[in-house]
Amino acid sequence: MSEFESLGLKSGIWQGVIHRDAQPGRLVLVHMGSRVAEARLAAEAPGRWRVAAAIPAERLSEGAQSFPLLEDGGAEGEPPRPGARRLASLTLVAGEILDGDLHAELSLMRSELELLKKELRRLAAEPA
């Protein structure tokens, strides 16, 4: 089981729970290599830490956007330190361009499935 359990995204706030005894270090939300926010951390119960990170609206655009959540020992406002630990990642997908990408990916998957079915039928038909 992963230490981080995502509770989803609502009203621009990504929430989750970290399951561990010790308090996590600083939690930083990153987008395209730069720090965009620091997550708020609150003790929820013994061994459970509630995490809330605001996704800045100006970082949202068409296509796929990834927001890794990193833990490090840095000070507030600093960029993530080298060796920061990746706890989770939120991927958001939006826009019309995506529609074509999904259709192309689905078509490719169907083609690959047909190849697998053909090969399985061939193997099943071969005498032992």
Side-chain angles (χ1 to χ4, degrees), residues 3-46:
E3 277 187 316
F4 183 83
E5 173 189 353
S6 179
L7 300 177
L9 177 70
K10 185 173 182 180
S11 300
I13 307 292
W14 181 27
Q15 295 193 49
V17 175
I18 295 176
H19 300 275
R20 78 161 75 136
D21 292 330
Q23 180 174 346
R26 177 183 72 146
L27 301 175
V28 180
L29 193 65
V30 176
H31 180 248
M32 298 183 75
S34 43
R35 174 193 161 281
V36 294
E38 291 190 26
R40 294 184 314 271
L41 187 65
E44 194 170 67

Side-chain angles (χ1 to χ4, degrees), residues 4-107:
F4 183 83
E5 173 189 353
S6 179
L7 300 177
L9 177 70
K10 185 173 182 180
S11 300
I13 307 292
W14 181 27
Q15 295 193 49
V17 175
I18 295 176
H19 300 275
R20 78 161 75 136
D21 292 330
Q23 180 174 346
R26 177 183 72 146
L27 301 175
V28 180
L29 193 65
V30 176
H31 180 248
M32 298 183 75
S34 43
R35 174 193 161 281
V36 294
E38 291 190 26
R40 294 184 314 271
L41 187 65
E44 194 170 67
R48 287 178 55 97
W49 302 88
R50 183 71 170 236
V51 176
I55 308 294
E58 63 272 7
R59 292 295 181 138
L60 301 177
S61 60
E62 285 198 5
Q65 307 296 318
S66 182
F67 295 88
L69 181 65
L70 306 178
E71 176 185 11
D72 70 3
E76 189 173 329
E78 286 183 351
R81 290 187 172 175
R85 186 166 165 245
R86 182 182 170 277
L87 293 178
S89 183
L90 175 68
T91 301
L92 301 175
V93 181
E96 285 186 36
I97 294 174
L98 177 66
D99 192 40
D101 292 345
L102 287 177
H103 286 291
E105 187 68 25
L106 187 57
S107 177

